[in-house]
Amino acid sequence: MTIQTRVAGVSDVGRIRKSNQDSGYTGYNLFFVADGMGGHAGGDIASALTTQSLAHIDENYHEASQASKALVNAMWSANSLLTQTVKDHAELAGMGTTVSALLFADTKAVIGHIGDSRIYLVRDSAVKQITTDHTFVQRLVDTGRITPAEALTHPRRSVLMRVLGDVEEFPEIDTQAIETKPGDRWMLCSDGLTGALPEDLMNGILLRETDPAEAADLLVGEAIEYGAPDNVTVVIVDVLPVAADEQPASIVKPSFLGSAANEVVIEVRKGARMLQLLNPRTITDLFTPDQETSSVVPESEEYLEKILKQTKTRIRNRWIRQLLVVLLWIGIAVGSLSAGYSYTQTRFYVGVFDGHVAIYQGIKESLGPFKFSHLYDVTGVDVTALPEYQQSLVADTVSAENLPDARRIVETLALLASHG
Ligand code: CA
């Protein structure tokens, strides 16, 4: 039996990104999405190169194992191609891509998958995710550290554990072969769809909209309604019933989606940096902050532990930082008080202590229980020896600019007292 399909594919740059780093392919037996990442121009090149290199295996396969082998080998070749391209063009360092592919072999749907793009199967009024994301948060979910709901908003949700183009020569590709039948609907998408759209809405569209082209348009349209912070790519493959005497339609024309549909990518590959600079979009990219949020890290338990430790350290550092801010404020407050107090101690005034004229250091004003002056010197001048007016002046205290000034005031008073 040969599978007959009705197919639709849509790729959109989304509302925030300046370039579409997603690619996709819809062919005869092969369908996939690839979500590129890395650098200013690397992401679109990675997904486009991969797409154009993978498309060559779109043939008839009689055995699922044969198709599976072809898929894995093609993905490994794409991986080498990316590594080699980076070797030739250092400016593309760090580029990589996800691939989620569906290759029909007889009545089997063979899946090849790496990264966080996804494949869903719609069957018997249910939508089921077939692939597992190779993301850091999925690992946290798998190991019971967070819930799937928490994963949706986790700040590290775009950290990938596996992609093509990474340093590894033969990255692990997830494969499965699933019996497919007429009525099945396969949906392949980049994380720009699943990240933007509520699951209920996505499932609703997949279940209700019978025309694959309309369903794909609706999904991408809704993702854009929801803000589409990332590129969005959707491929829908409906498996049709085939009458026994009917020849499978081969009028299908393979088509490339997203950046893979863009010829300039191949030119960039030959001309490297110069051609990238000639691309006006890339020139503006050079002057704006990098919006790339995806990154790839090696997949291992050690890394998982390391990243959790980093997070813990970050939390602790945040506490330390907050504490430092509080201490700094206290410091500033104490500093200004102490500066204020130092100022008061440059001042003197003349008053009375134990019936004698005395010199005080500081200011006579007080703030609640705080006094800003203390007795500096008690003179031999008896207050009662002073004329009445001077007695009341001294009782009210007489401000002095400084110590010599205070001494001068005391000398004047002493003179008055001796004449009294
Ligand atoms: Ca993406």
Side-chain angles (χ1 to χ4, degrees):
M1 193 192 110
T2 310
I3 301 267
Q4 198 171 350
T5 56
R6 216 171 148 211
V7 181
V10 181
S11 186
D12 194 284
V13 68
R15 286 182 113 147
I16 307 288
R17 296 286 177 97
K18 288 192 293 295
S19 64
N20 192 351
Q21 307 201 328
D22 282 0
S23 289
Y25 174 81
T26 61
Y28 302 103
N29 288 308
L30 179 66
F31 310 87
F32 61 84
V33 294
D35 176 353
M37 64 169 70
H40 287 295
D44 46 11
I45 293 173
S47 74
L49 283 180
T50 299
T51 298
Q52 286 156 3
S53 127
L54 277 182
H56 297 301
I57 61 158
D58 189 5
E59 290 170 19
N60 286 324
Y61 298 88
H62 300 293
E63 294 284 333
S65 59
Q66 195 192 4
S68 179
K69 204 181 270 176
L71 204 43
V72 171
N73 284 334
M75 285 167 79
W76 280 342
S77 299
N79 186 65
S80 316
L81 175 63
L82 295 183
T83 329
Q84 191 52 50
T85 307
V86 168
K87 264 186 203 145
D88 297 343
H89 306 284
E91 72 277 9
L92 298 174
M95 73 171 179
T97 186
T98 73
V99 174
S100 293
L102 175 66
L103 177 57
F104 289 121
D106 194 26
T107 58
K108 292 260 180 21
V110 175
I111 311 283
H113 163 75
I114 187 164
D116 66 348
S117 298
R118 290 179 180 178
I119 298 180
Y120 289 85
L121 172 59
V122 187
R123 176 185 286 177
D124 303 329
S125 304
V127 181
K128 191 180 166 200
Q129 186 182 335
I130 299 297
T131 51
T132 304
D133 296 348
H134 297 144
T135 54
F136 171 65
V137 288
Q138 186 59 46
R139 287 294 294 276
L140 293 181
V141 172
D142 292 346
T143 51
R145 286 173 158 107
I146 60 170
T147 66
E150 285 167 340
L152 289 175
T153 53
H154 195 283
R156 289 182 184 273
R157 62 191 176 279
S158 45
V159 174
L160 291 166
M161 308 296 272
R162 269 193 259 163
V163 286
L164 293 187
D166 196 15
V167 283
E168 228 179 308
E169 201 179 346
F170 299 106
E172 195 187 336
I173 313 282
D174 289 355
T175 58
Q176 23 179 340
I178 298 166
E179 191 72 32
T180 195
K181 55 187 187 186
D184 282 354
R185 164 172 281 181
W186 295 89
M187 196 270 281
L188 298 73
C189 64
S190 63
D191 70 329
L193 180 78
T194 45
L197 214 57
E199 202 181 6
D200 291 352
L201 182 58
M202 186 188 86
N203 293 353
I205 293 169
L206 285 172
L207 290 167
R208 277 194 298 275
E209 191 51 64
T210 49
D211 180 5
E214 295 220 339
D217 279 341
L218 260 179
L219 287 171
V220 173
E222 282 298 329
I224 289 166
E225 287 299 308
Y226 273 84
D230 197 0
N231 310 141
V232 193
T233 302
V234 171
V235 167
I236 294 182
V237 186
D238 284 351
V239 181
L240 302 176
V242 187
D245 57 343
E246 199 181 323
Q247 282 297 306
S250 54
I251 46 163
V252 185
K253 197 175 172 290
S255 93
F256 291 95
L257 308 171
S259 64
N262 193 350
E263 285 303 319
V264 77
V265 170
I266 294 299
E267 294 304 314
V268 168
R269 195 180 150 200
K270 291 176 192 154
R273 197 184 287 267
M274 277 313 291
L275 271 165
Q276 284 184 54
L277 284 173
L278 287 174
N279 181 338
R281 192 256 309 147
T282 318
I283 290 172
T284 57
D285 277 3
L286 290 175
F287 296 102
T288 49
D290 197 352
Q291 290 182 346
E292 186 55 54
T293 53
S294 295
S295 55
V296 67
V297 299
E299 182 179 30
S300 68
E301 272 308 312
E302 295 90 88
Y303 183 77
L304 192 69
E305 292 308 326
K306 200 175 128 200
I307 207 165
L308 285 174
K309 224 168 109 192
Q310 279 175 1
T311 304
K312 279 178 195 159
T313 309
R314 210 162 287 147
I315 291 167
R316 202 174 56 234
N317 287 348
R318 207 175 297 145
W319 274 105
I320 291 172
R321 222 166 33 240
Q322 281 170 356
L323 190 65
L324 282 176
V325 167
V326 170
L327 287 177
L328 183 68
W329 276 111
I330 291 174
I332 287 170
V334 166
S336 20
L337 281 177
S338 106
Y341 181 74
S342 302
Y343 166 75
T344 65
Q345 298 309 296
T346 65
R347 311 286 293 185
F348 290 84
Y349 65 92
V350 176
V352 181
F353 180 80
D354 200 20
H356 287 85
V357 172
I359 296 175
Y360 289 85
Q361 186 174 13
I363 53 171
K364 66 170 183 172
E365 285 79 13
S366 61
L367 196 65
F370 300 104
K371 290 196 183 349
F372 303 110
S373 65
H374 59 273
L375 187 63
Y376 183 81
D377 190 19
V378 182
T379 68
V381 182
D382 194 335
V383 174
T384 52
L386 289 171
E388 214 170 301
Y389 175 66
Q390 273 73 25
Q391 282 190 34
S392 67
L393 275 183
V394 175
D396 275 351
T397 75
V398 183
S399 299
E401 282 301 311
N402 45 37
L403 186 58
D405 191 31
R407 296 263 186 232
R408 192 188 48 76
I409 292 167
V410 168
E411 271 168 37
T412 312
L413 291 172
L415 202 64
L416 285 166
S418 62
H419 289 285

